[in-house]
């Protein structure tokens, strides 16, 4: 549980700390690091899992190792960021909606016109998502190369975006096959 007061001074604002990967258009936050504003106006960073706090954001990441599960480091890759939202208006997020799988031989013939239109729109959205994920991946890789203290976190971010890029890629390929579009 994140600290609700520090040295007797109340925490008046508690929100996810912003990741250095944030830039115009994409808001990226740490899910286990909180950015705390105290009643006296001072800013602190806190652990989301316990009441550990510090005014140095860089000391929270090493602290988080104390909470790390003992096994399967690969299983936590990709979970480091839970909240990533574009700053622009929300789209209908096709990735959260499972497209019913169809046999390849049934394919196009069994789609209604409405479904075709939907798929064509999805193609655009997916292409956009793939490009965004690729850009994130590139950025995470770039930062990961020169940033020793946050290597673990960044590696998780790299995995996260790598996964998003490949999921978008697969969806795009599937939708593209059905509507005859090319990426
Ligand atoms: Zn902690």
């Amino acid at each position: 549980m994140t600290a609700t007061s520090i040295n007797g001074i109340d925490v008046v604002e508690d929100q996810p700390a912003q990741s250095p990967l944030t830039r115009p258009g994409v808001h990226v936050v740490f899910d286990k690091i909180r950015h705390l504003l105290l009643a006296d106006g001072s800013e602190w960073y806190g652990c989301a899992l316990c009441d550990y706090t510090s005014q140095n954001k860089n000391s929270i990441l090493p602290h988080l190792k104390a909470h790390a599960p003992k096994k399967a480091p690969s299983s936590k890759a990709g979970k480091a960021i839970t909240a990533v939202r574009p700053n622009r208006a929300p789209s209908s997020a096709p990735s959260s909606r499972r497209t019913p799988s169809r046999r390849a031989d049934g394919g196009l013939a069994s789609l209604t016109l409405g479904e075709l239109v939907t798929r064509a729109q999805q193609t655009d959205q997916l292409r956009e998502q793939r490009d965004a994920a690729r850009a994130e991946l590139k950025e995470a890789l770039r930062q990961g190369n020169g940033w020793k203290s946050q290597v673990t976190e960044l590696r998780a971010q790299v995995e996260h975006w790598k996964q998003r890029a490949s999921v978008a890629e697969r969806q795009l390929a599937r939708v593209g096959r059905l509507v005859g579009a090319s990426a």
Side-chain angles (χ1 to χ4, degrees), residues 47-52 63-64 67:
C47 175
L49 305 171
C50 71
D51 62 0
Y52 178 86
H63 159 82
L64 285 172
H67 298 293

Side-chain angles (χ1 to χ4, degrees), residues 123-142:
T123 303
D124 282 344
Q125 287 172 341
L126 287 167
R127 195 173 290 149
E128 217 171 278
Q129 285 180 3
R130 179 202 58 189
D131 291 346
R134 278 182 177 168
E136 293 293 341
L137 178 59
K138 203 171 145 198
E139 178 68 9
L141 282 168
R142 192 183 66 77

Side-chain angles (χ1 to χ4, degrees), residues 12-125:
V12 293
E13 246 184 75
D14 175 353
Q15 45 188 289
Q18 187 169 290
S19 157
L21 294 180
T22 291
R23 76 198 135 285
V26 188
H27 187 67
V28 185
V29 298
F30 292 106
D31 73 333
K32 295 196 180 77
I33 303 177
R34 310 292 300 181
H35 184 198
L36 309 173
L37 180 65
L38 269 57
D40 66 358
S42 62
E43 290 184 60
W44 290 69
Y45 293 92
C47 175
L49 305 171
C50 71
D51 62 0
Y52 178 86
T53 55
S54 171
Q55 284 196 285
N56 178 6
K57 187 181 185 176
N58 293 330
S59 72
I60 308 291
L61 271 177
H63 159 82
L64 285 172
K65 285 185 190 138
H67 298 293
K70 298 278 184 277
K71 59 173 183 96
S74 62
S75 72
K76 65 181 193 294
K79 288 185 187 163
I81 304 175
T82 52
V84 176
R85 60 189 152 81
N87 290 344
R88 57 200 144 82
S91 70
S92 57
S95 61
S96 64
R97 228 175 23 210
R98 274 255 166 254
T99 310
S101 59
R102 287 169 193 279
R103 288 178 175 283
D105 52 2
L108 204 53
S110 63
L111 294 174
T112 65
L113 181 58
E115 284 174 316
L116 273 176
V117 171
T118 305
R119 282 171 191 279
Q121 286 167 347
Q122 281 182 353
T123 303
D124 282 344
Q125 287 172 341

